[in-house]
Amino acid sequence: NKLKKEKNAVILAHNYQTPEIYHGIADFSADPLALAVEASKTSADIIVMAGVHFMAETAKLMSPDKKVLLPDMKAGCSLSSSITGKDVRLLKEKYPGVPVVSYVNTSAEVKAETDVCCTSANAVKIVKSLGVKKVIFLPDDYLAKYVASQTDVEIVAWKGICMVHDQFNEKEINDIRDKNPGIKIIAHPECPPEVINASDFAGSTSGMINYVKDNQPSKVMMVTECSMSDNIQVENPNVEFIKPCNLCPHMKRITLPKILDCLEKETGEIIMDKNTIDKARLSVEKMVAIGR
């Protein structure tokens, strides 16, 4: 925290970071949409992204003149690695004129081929806002199915999955209910459709946080990455959290010692060419403009 002030640095943390990062050193903790907005507004000289690679890239897109650092360059994402810019170009050839909506969990090269980005918080709103009958939606197949269930738009999906949310299943949800009468189960839209159907509520990380804050259930299970429950429990002491322990191995690459080392040596800098930044930023700016 002392070093941050000396270097005029800001630490942005995703909701899946461990509590000592989320509560201890982060200047701002949020979902990818809010992190993108914060990255565009900050007056800091250095942005340290306590998250995964695509989030650090997105911060660089939104603040190209800042030095953006990632404490571990191997912190990737199963969704982001499931699709390339070339894949998107081939899809656009196959479906000419069909707009491309990319989940924010994608690389900058994919964003550069995208009409508008989205997060799980605003995916439905963004697809509806296009006013078209068909949309290419990538790369999360389960989120695509969720959007299709909430709209009348024909969705051309990609077969990507989040390795954390794909582990959950309907039996697990029902078993938790049997053991915990009256529990509220809230799921992330990256979960399989049968998990969402078996839950009481489906929403983004920010939507899940607000659900707990607003409803104060006596018991809750958040069907998402494990650290979310730890972080939100601190702010909701009257709620008992039944924790599913599916950890994101990529998020867990980010640790306090790595953040300190990265800030001291200014290593793990995100470097991108101006053309990619300019093209990719447009799709993120459209997402931010549409908001939640």
Side-chain angles (χ1 to χ4, degrees):
N1 284 331
K2 183 167 168 275
L3 192 57
K4 277 192 309 186
K5 288 176 185 166
E6 288 172 10
K7 294 204 171 199
N8 189 26
V10 65
I11 296 177
L12 305 183
H14 187 263
N15 289 323
Y16 295 166
Q17 289 300 310
T18 51
E20 69 272 17
I21 296 171
Y22 184 95
H23 291 292
I25 60 163
D27 296 286
F28 189 78
S29 302
D31 63 6
L33 176 58
L35 290 177
V37 173
E38 196 63 25
S40 70
K41 294 193 307 190
T42 184
S43 57
D45 297 317
I46 297 172
I47 298 172
V48 179
M49 179 56 73
V52 294
H53 197 275
F54 78 80
M55 295 176 186
E57 279 192 339
T58 305
K60 184 68 175 176
L61 297 179
M62 301 308 280
S63 282
D65 299 329
K66 310 285 186 191
K67 182 179 272 193
V68 178
L69 308 177
L70 181 64
D72 190 326
M73 294 297 267
K74 292 179 182 172
C77 169
S78 58
L79 280 169
S80 184
S81 62
S82 74
I83 191 163
T84 65
K86 183 182 178 184
D87 292 327
V88 185
R89 289 190 290 275
L90 289 171
L91 276 171
K92 290 200 284 191
E93 283 177 22
K94 189 175 178 183
Y95 300 98
V98 177
V100 177
V101 178
S102 289
Y103 197 21
V104 78
N105 300 38
T106 47
S107 65
E109 70 158 353
V110 167
K111 290 181 175 74
E113 300 293 339
T114 295
D115 294 291
V116 57
C117 281
C118 72
T119 69
S120 52
N122 64 6
V124 172
K125 183 178 180 182
I126 279 179
V127 167
K128 284 181 176 177
S129 77
L130 296 172
V132 294
K133 292 180 178 177
K134 184 187 284 190
V135 163
I136 297 168
F137 188 98
L138 48 91
D140 191 299
D141 190 36
Y142 293 145
L143 185 58
K145 285 182 168 66
Y146 177 75
V147 171
S149 75
Q150 303 294 310
T151 69
D152 296 325
V153 181
E154 182 187 343
I155 303 290
V156 178
W158 187 256
K159 292 293 180 186
I161 52 117
C162 166
M163 61 193 293
V164 173
H165 294 101
D166 187 50
Q167 294 176 49
F168 295 105
N169 59 68
E170 185 179 11
K171 182 182 182 302
E172 184 180 359
I173 304 301
N174 293 334
D175 287 349
I176 291 281
R177 277 202 198 282
D178 291 343
K179 292 174 189 166
N180 298 275
I183 191 171
K184 292 295 180 185
I185 297 180
I186 57 180
H188 194 281
E190 286 176 25
C191 291
E194 63 271 17
V195 170
I196 293 174
N197 291 337
S199 301
D200 298 294
F201 172 81
S204 64
T205 51
S206 58
M208 296 167 92
I209 290 168
N210 290 334
Y211 180 94
V212 174
K213 189 171 73 177
D214 296 342
N215 293 283
Q216 292 292 297
S218 57
K219 270 189 187 182
V220 71
M221 173 176 164
M222 302 176 89
V223 190
T224 187
E225 214 273 355
C226 199
S227 291
M228 269 275 287
S229 298
D230 294 329
N231 294 331
I232 308 314
Q233 187 162 34
V234 174
E235 293 151 0
N236 297 276
N238 298 323
V239 178
E240 182 184 350
F241 286 78
I242 306 300
K243 295 170 190 173
C245 227
N246 289 350
L247 293 171
C248 173
H250 297 293
M251 285 285 183
K252 295 303 173 270
R253 284 184 175 276
I254 308 300
T255 62
L256 272 179
K258 284 182 185 176
I259 293 172
L260 179 61
D261 187 65
C262 158
L263 195 50
E264 284 175 340
K265 299 173 184 170
E266 297 185 21
T267 50
E269 184 175 359
I270 301 296
I271 307 289
M272 282 186 282
D273 65 89
K274 186 178 184 300
N275 186 46
T276 301
I277 288 174
D278 289 345
K279 284 179 71 181
R281 186 170 66 233
L282 290 174
S283 61
V284 181
E285 285 177 340
K286 285 179 190 170
M287 169 185 78
V288 171
I290 292 169
R292 295 195 191 282

